[in-house]
Amino acid sequence: GDLRYKDISGPDGKPDGKIDDNDRAFSGSYQPKITYGINGSLGYKTFDLNFGGYGTQGSKMYNGKKALTGTASTDNIETSVAVGRWTPNNPSTKIPRATLDRQPASTYFLENGDFFRMNNIALGYTFKGDILSKARITSLRIYVTSQNLFTITPYSGFTPEIFKGDGTPLNAGIEVNTYPSTRTFAFGINLGF
């Protein structure tokens, strides 16, 4: 149930039978190769739709939250880890066993950090007609809006948008104490007299 580390180099460039600092390898960067965004507005008769989204491609994220679930952490762990991790009764799993020892970093916890997030979207309807003028209303628009409506990503953690980590430069691209991104919905009325 333990992770296995590959012996990739000894002092002469060949495997030397031990795992140490010489076996570290570059496996990707948290900095995306491409950052993009899309914004737009559509209108049809008295309906209007405004939207904005953004995303990145070509980054790797280290799922530190996942890495800590097998150690003596005081945090809660996901059900999939509690139930699915390696045990003598569950030997055919990809989730390592629980251990009190902190394990060295592994590419097992390195994941694709690509994502697209629909950050803002608003759908509105503007009323027109004689009823408004009789009520001395010059304009009436109702709308529903959402922030962080959805995120498309292969990343299994809370959010792949962790360029700064926990504020420490050495933790950039590592998810440990990150909260999930919240999704909000709002309804509104614009009324003019």
Side-chain angles (χ1 to χ4, degrees):
D2 288 331
L3 294 173
R4 294 182 182 176
Y5 294 87
K6 188 173 182 181
D7 185 5
I8 58 173
S9 66
D12 59 356
K14 297 180 181 177
D16 59 2
K18 63 181 178 180
I19 302 297
D20 57 19
D21 286 348
N22 293 321
D23 297 302
R24 292 181 178 184
F26 177 77
S27 300
S29 173
Y30 71 92
Q31 295 179 334
K33 294 178 181 170
I34 299 171
T35 301
Y36 60 91
I38 182 170
N39 292 302
S41 270
L42 300 171
Y44 178 73
K45 296 187 178 180
T46 56
F47 288 96
D48 61 89
L49 177 68
N50 300 292
F51 58 90
Y54 62 94
T56 66
Q57 294 290 122
S59 66
K60 297 285 186 182
M61 303 303 299
Y62 191 80
N63 193 334
K65 178 178 69 70
K66 185 176 173 184
L68 290 175
T69 59
T71 63
S73 173
T74 58
D75 296 333
N76 291 331
I77 62 173
E78 282 113 14
T79 303
S80 62
V81 173
V83 174
R85 69 180 173 216
W86 185 95
T87 64
N89 296 330
N90 188 26
S92 300
T93 182
K94 293 183 178 181
I95 303 172
R97 71 181 175 96
T99 178
L100 294 175
D101 300 323
R102 186 171 286 256
Q103 301 294 312
S106 170
T107 54
Y108 175 80
F109 303 110
L110 195 63
E111 298 182 28
N112 183 337
D114 297 348
F115 74 92
F116 173 75
R117 175 169 289 156
M118 182 55 68
N119 194 44
N120 295 302
I121 190 163
L123 177 63
Y125 180 82
T126 302
F127 290 90
K128 293 185 177 181
D130 294 336
I131 298 173
L132 294 179
S133 58
K134 289 178 183 178
R136 295 185 181 173
I137 297 173
T138 58
S139 62
L140 174 61
R141 178 180 175 264
I142 59 171
Y143 64 91
V144 61
T145 183
S146 176
Q147 290 184 327
N148 191 26
L149 184 60
F150 63 84
T151 302
I152 301 170
T153 182
Y155 183 67
S156 68
F158 284 150
T159 178
E161 195 176 9
I162 318 170
F163 306 122
K164 297 181 181 177
D166 62 1
T168 307
L170 295 177
N171 289 343
I174 301 173
E175 179 182 13
V176 178
N177 296 320
T178 305
Y179 287 97
S181 300
T182 58
R183 179 178 299 128
T184 60
F185 295 94
F187 173 78
I189 299 174
N190 295 338
L191 185 62
F193 293 98

